[in-house]
Amino acid sequence: MTSAISVSALVKTFGRVRALDGLDLEVEAGEVHGFLGPNGSGKSTTIRVLLGLLRADSGAVSLLGGNPWRDAVTLHRRLAYVPGDVNLWPNLTGGEAIDLFGSLRGGLDRQRRDELIQRFQLDPSKRARTYSKGNRQKVAIVAAFASDVELYVLDEPTSGLDPLMEAAFQECVREVKGQGRTVLLSSHIFSEVEALCDRVSIIRQGRTVESGTLAQLRHLTRTSVSVETTLPITGLADLPGVHDVDATATHATFAVDTAELNNALAYLTQFDVRALSSAPPSLEELFLRHYGDELAGAVR
Amino acid sequence: MNSAFTGTGRLARLALRRDRVQLPVWILSTVALGAFARSALDTQYPTEADRLAVLRVAVDTPAVLMFRAAPTGTSTGEMTAFGILAFLAILAGFMSTLAVIRHTRQNEETGRAEMIGATAVGRHAGLTAALVVVVGANVVLGALIALTLVGAGEPAAGSLAAGAGVGAAGIAFAAVAAVAAQLTQSARAANGIAAAVVGASYLVRGVADAFGEVRPNGYTMTSAWPSWLSPIGWTMQMRPFAEGGNRWWVLALPLALLVVAVAAAFALAGRRDVGMGLLADRPGPGQASPALLSPLGLAWRLQRGTALGWGIAIGVFSLVLGSMANAVDDLVAENSGVTGTINDLAGGGAHAIMDAFFGAMMATIGALVAGYLVQALMRPRAEEAGTRAEPVLATATGRLTWLGGHIAVATAGAVAMLGLAAVAMALVYGLSVHDLGGQLAHLAGTAYLQLPAVLTLAGLAVALFGLVPRFAVGLTWFGFALSFVLGPYGALLGVPESLRELSPFSHTPAVPADATAAPIVVMSAIALVLGAAGLAWFRRRDLAT
Ligand SMILES: Nc1ncnc2c1ncn2[C@@H]1O[C@H](COP(=O)(O)OP(=O)(O)O)[C@@H](O)[C@H]1O
Ligand SMILES: [Mg+2]
């Protein structure tokens, strides 16, 4: 598989702030790639470097086979971008802004534009200054998905959308994925990433801390288990990979590294299991584990 | 305390904190300009006889009256008021309107007011806090002006009247801005309305002075009645230092305006929602017209409001100047002393008097066109800082195309405005002397002599935008102001020759007969180099918010 985006050891500083500190990112052609990280971790900065809006200090960056700084204009014909903070011209209408972005990108599909405006329930004849944040985001989303491009770069595109519009957005992403296009989706919304993404990269303080398919990452997480037995449970806490055991004689709840799940269940059968429920590991949990110590650091 | 005003004190402190640099800089620069004008008098017109000679010419020269004021006497205090007081009132006006709108409409537009409104703050607290701060700033400004005049040896009563007149004008314009802030949804539009009122007040005052009546002594004047319609006229009507002057009761006019306008603003604010204007937004086209769909089309769409506003102002102003030319024409036969003053203003040289008059007037038009061009070239920075440039530059629009579009629109506007000024003056004057074609050609030649200097400032604007985006707006306006303080007004203010050489306008020939190739070529080359450097720097740098 060829990669649509390939970033390695990317460094970007603003004065004394080291926004990106050796970041790596691989996005393969045709995949939806989730880009997760806490506020200020460098997601938007990475995207701006990928779009040639910022210049990398060091590191290798390749986008659709080209150099995003040098070949900006030709590469931009092949991609669509939804910024994290959509600001429009107050006295242009939403419809005008959509047409403008589409045309500057090299043309847009009129029929699809009108259909998307319907789908997102946008009034295109309103001036942008009267739009809420969510409506401004819809303008950028419609303009992006009405363009016939290979790559969609979306920076927290749904942070202002209501659940109905969120569903419409997910539908759009699935459609373009079905057409074999590539999506880089920076997001805060775990359910969205879990629903849409083939692979995920998690960054913190300008570095990539995890990267892989959801299945691979789940492997690194813990499953919560609640179990009831006939015989009293003993020795559970001593098993490898088992944590946070809370047990009365015949009832226990605990978390287990997903890699050790099978061993733990095999061990439990000797106590005659009567009921068992388990909660699958969520991306959110994984994320919190990585940035939990940051929170702890902030409290300290 | 009435609950609508709860939290006014806290908001006023917040506004003061946000303005802790801006307001002192405005106040101190205004005071410094006044002090400078006063001290320049001692070297320029040291004796009573000098001053008398100047005023005798001035009262017969509408253009001078228009830009200065109606003189009230020959004392140094009266001369200072004649020379600079109307300018100081303009500065106080802009300080006040910008500050009021910054702390009211701009807060609403950015949503800050909504956050604040959700806390324990009364509905009228925001506007009241803004007015308290701005009225306070004007009181400080007036007091400092009075103090510096007393320090320069002027009588206390006249100094206080001069300071109070300027401060009161600022307060009157603050009241105007308070109403403007209720009318529109965008801070830009509110600022536009308020600035138009300040500009119109200056023009009305100027016309009233130009058409004033000369008193029997032959060197002092009574302004025509429209002066009473203008807050800047009120400043002059206080007649500081004059015999029978220091008319304190005139201060009742700006204070009455304040009371009425604030009552109106509160009433309007009570009838609308936070964030909305009274002039509601109508829906627009649901689709873009093809004319919008290019970097150039977008630049024109974003700049056309600015261009239209300046174009109308410059057109009307040129019509007024053209009609004043008729009056000057009539004067020439009667008074040869006028020739000297106008020639001085036009930068020396012995030309036919009408040439010199138009040269001097076109220099003023040149300043206005430069003001337009600088403002238009601030647009790319506003686009960048407002993160509206980012999504455009993420399309197949190159940086040079994007910035080049803005430069092209702005420059074309400046060229058109110089032409418009020539046409407007030629229409009024040329028709009255039955030589439209000849006057048009001649005036167009005179007008376009201003272009190289205007473009040099444009080059500076582009270069600063490319090199130091975050400071570009302030530095460019500073360069603009400096080029006038050093250039056209430098002679009046007594600036030494070597410093005056720095301004492009010092190298601008006033009339075609004076023109030589060298300064025109050199200035055009400097403009091109600065512009090209700015483009190159912009292409190499990060986008900066
Ligand atoms: N133009 C800039 N100047 C200075 N610091 C910046 C600039 N842009 C981003 N930063 C800093 O870089 C870090 C990463 O920011 P950003 O990429 O916006 O994070 P994210 O999008 O993940 O929330 C933050 O610490 C932010 O303050
Ligand atoms: Mg971000």
Side-chain angles (χ1 to χ4, degrees):
Chain A
M1 252 199 175
T2 52
S3 55
I5 295 173
S6 170
V7 174
S8 67
L10 176 61
V11 175
K12 177 70 198 175
T13 54
F14 298 104
R16 285 158 136 209
V17 181
R18 213 170 163 80
L20 299 180
D21 188 14
L23 183 125
D24 302 310
L25 178 66
E26 287 291 331
V27 178
E28 279 159 19
E31 76 172 356
V32 178
H33 194 103
F35 194 33
L36 283 162
N39 289 326
S41 57
K43 301 182 297 294
S44 297
T45 304
T46 308
I47 287 174
R48 291 198 178 102
V49 171
L50 286 172
L51 293 170
L53 302 168
L54 299 178
R55 195 171 197 160
D57 292 354
S58 66
V61 183
S62 143
L63 177 89
L64 299 173
N67 174 332
W69 181 263
R70 209 190 46 223
D71 314 323
V73 172
T74 46
L75 291 176
H76 290 171
R77 268 185 236 291
R78 300 162 60 195
L79 63 83
Y81 167 51
V82 175
D85 202 359
V86 183
N87 283 308
L88 301 170
W89 303 275
N91 51 352
L92 261 64
T93 63
E96 286 180 312
I98 290 170
D99 292 350
L100 179 66
F101 285 126
S103 146
L104 293 179
R105 212 170 268 142
L108 88 186
D109 180 343
R110 284 225 74 79
Q111 204 188 332
R112 181 144 170 84
R113 165 203 190 267
D114 294 341
E115 186 234 314
L116 285 169
I117 284 176
Q118 289 264 315
R119 199 191 290 182
F120 282 97
Q121 298 169 11
L122 186 70
D123 180 350
S125 62
K126 275 192 163 176
R127 308 266 175 205
R129 74 167 126 266
T130 65
Y131 280 147
S132 63
K133 175 179 158 82
N135 277 328
R136 291 198 305 269
Q137 260 171 342
K138 288 186 203 170
V139 167
I141 290 172
V142 169
F145 284 113
S147 304
D148 177 19
V149 293
E150 295 163 47
L151 171 67
Y152 296 86
V153 179
L154 315 173
D155 190 357
E156 298 188 25
T158 60
S159 51
L161 299 189
D162 60 43
L164 226 63
M165 294 301 120
E166 166 75 39
F169 167 78
Q170 295 196 7
E171 193 185 328
C172 287
V173 173
R174 284 199 196 92
E175 281 167 11
V176 296
K177 187 189 166 191
Q179 296 160 346
R181 304 166 202 248
T182 313
V183 178
L184 176 64
L185 173 65
S186 132
S187 181
H188 258 152
I189 303 171
F190 302 98
S191 58
E192 175 180 282
V193 172
E194 290 190 291
L196 294 174
C197 295
D198 305 307
R199 295 199 314 136
V200 182
S201 293
I202 298 179
I203 69 166
R204 209 182 100 191
Q205 294 176 352
R207 284 168 185 273
T208 313
V209 289
E210 294 290 354
S211 187
T213 64
L214 283 178
Q216 283 168 343
L217 293 187
R218 285 226 169 86
H219 210 65
L220 300 171
T221 62
R222 294 168 190 170
T223 302
S224 314
V225 178
S226 169
V227 64
E228 267 188 68
T229 52
T230 318
L231 305 172
I233 304 169
T234 53
L236 182 60
D238 301 329
L239 287 187
V242 170
H243 311 269
D244 307 332
V245 178
D246 181 10
T248 58
T250 60
H251 181 253
T253 61
F254 60 94
V256 55
D257 291 353
T258 307
E260 297 292 334
L261 184 58
N262 194 44
N263 288 340
L265 292 183
Y267 180 80
L268 283 172
T269 53
Q270 58 179 303
F271 305 111
D272 188 14
V273 175
R274 289 196 311 169
L276 182 137
S277 70
S278 78
S282 71
L283 194 54
E284 184 155 3
E285 208 187 325
L286 178 70
F287 187 73
L288 281 174
R289 219 174 87 204
H290 276 296
Y291 111 87
D293 22 320
E294 201 164 285
L295 284 180
V299 170
R300 219 178 288 135
Chain B
M1 193 172 166
N2 187 327
S3 67
F5 295 95
T6 308
T8 302
R10 258 185 303 142
L11 290 186
R13 276 196 300 278
L14 178 67
L16 276 178
R17 206 185 124 67
R18 280 180 63 203
D19 278 356
R20 65 191 181 280
V21 177
Q22 207 161 351
L23 279 181
V25 167
W26 266 108
I27 291 174
L28 292 180
S29 335
T30 308
V31 171
L33 181 62
F36 188 50
R38 168 62 191 83
S39 68
L41 263 188
D42 292 336
T43 47
Q44 270 219 299
Y45 307 114
T47 70
E48 175 101 18
D50 294 332
R51 298 195 284 269
L52 188 60
V54 171
L55 290 189
R56 279 192 190 287
V57 177
V59 294
D60 275 342
T61 316
V64 171
L65 298 174
M66 177 106 200
F67 290 108
R68 304 281 147 180
T72 57
T74 57
S75 74
T76 49
E78 287 159 319
M79 286 296 283
T80 307
F82 164 68
I84 201 73
L85 215 54
F87 284 132
L88 300 187
I90 288 190
L91 290 177
F94 281 123
M95 171 182 85
S96 305
T97 57
L98 288 170
V100 166
I101 285 161
R102 189 162 56 241
H103 295 302
T104 54
R105 177 50 66 179
Q106 195 180 324
N107 276 351
E108 283 190 45
E109 197 184 8
T110 54
R112 277 194 291 265
E114 219 172 323
M115 275 169 59
I116 293 169
T119 65
V121 160
R123 198 147 47 97
H124 293 324
L127 179 57
T128 313
L131 285 169
V132 165
V133 167
V134 175
V135 168
N138 279 295
V139 170
V140 172
L141 172 65
L144 289 178
I145 289 175
L147 278 177
T148 52
L149 287 172
V150 170
E154 297 298 340
S159 303
L160 196 57
V166 172
I171 290 171
F173 289 122
V176 168
V179 174
Q182 311 308 316
L183 297 179
T184 67
Q185 266 190 31
S186 80
R188 266 177 70 87
N191 271 321
I193 292 177
V197 172
V198 176
S201 299
Y202 185 74
L203 280 182
V204 167
R205 194 265 336 138
V207 170
D209 287 346
F211 289 97
E213 192 185 320
V214 182
R215 291 186 175 175
N217 62 19
Y219 65 90
T220 67
M221 294 182 75
T222 311
S223 306
W225 63 266
S227 174
W228 292 101
L229 299 178
S230 155
I232 300 179
W234 299 339
T235 307
M236 304 317 299
Q237 291 293 358
M238 288 194 67
R239 299 179 78 91
F241 304 105
E243 218 179 291
N246 298 339
R247 300 194 278 189
W248 302 104
W249 58 266
V250 176
L251 287 177
L253 293 171
L255 295 182
L257 177 63
L258 178 70
V259 171
V260 171
V262 168
F266 281 157
L268 290 173
R271 292 176 48 182
R272 64 181 183 85
D273 297 328
V274 171
M276 295 293 125
L278 268 194
L279 310 177
D281 271 302
R282 277 170 300 128
Q287 292 190 6
S289 82
L292 173 66
L293 299 178
S294 68
L296 197 65
L298 176 62
W300 165 242
R301 177 68 179 269
L302 297 178
Q303 291 200 19
R304 70 181 182 192
T306 310
L308 215 64
W310 282 89
I312 290 172
I314 286 172
V316 169
F317 192 54
S318 302
L319 290 174
V320 173
L321 291 178
S323 57
M324 290 203 315
N326 292 329
V328 175
D329 218 8
D330 297 342
L331 269 169
V332 175
E334 301 159 23
N335 190 339
S336 57
V338 181
T339 322
T341 305
I342 295 182
N343 276 340
D344 278 353
L345 284 172
H351 303 292
I353 177 120
M354 290 320 296
D355 265 20
F357 174 80
F358 282 121
M361 294 307 101
M362 282 302 180
T364 313
I365 297 287
L368 289 176
V369 173
Y372 152 73
L373 190 51
V374 166
Q375 192 185 341
L377 288 173
M378 297 296 111
R379 206 16 122 146
R381 177 58 198 154
E383 289 290 293
E384 186 188 14
T387 70
R388 290 181 299 266
E390 184 181 298
V392 171
L393 292 172
T395 69
T397 304
R399 293 199 183 189
L400 295 188
T401 314
W402 179 78
L403 182 53
H406 278 282
I407 296 174
V409 168
T411 310
V415 170
M417 279 176 211
L418 287 173
L420 174 73
V423 169
M425 283 192 211
L427 271 180
V428 179
Y429 180 70
L431 284 180
S432 80
V433 298
H434 306 293
D435 178 22
L436 182 56
Q439 288 301 328
L440 184 57
H442 183 71
L443 283 168
T446 313
Y448 283 112
L449 285 177
Q450 299 293 324
L451 192 58
V454 169
L455 291 182
T456 306
L457 279 181
L460 177 74
V462 175
L464 288 170
F465 172 70
L467 194 59
V468 282
R470 289 201 175 87
F471 305 101
V473 173
L475 284 178
T476 307
W477 282 115
F478 183 73
F480 171 82
L482 203 64
S483 69
F484 289 101
V485 172
L486 295 182
Y489 299 127
L492 289 166
L493 295 173
V495 174
E497 182 74 24
S498 55
L499 273 179
R500 280 163 54 192
E501 293 284 306
L502 283 176
S503 164
F505 291 95
S506 302
H507 303 279
T508 299
V511 293
D514 277 352
T516 53
I520 294 175
V521 171
V522 170
M523 280 195 282
S524 305
I526 290 176
L528 275 179
V529 168
L530 284 174
L535 281 163
W537 280 322
F538 174 59
R539 198 158 69 147
R540 296 173 47 96
R541 72 168 168 81
D542 286 349
L543 284 198
T545 50

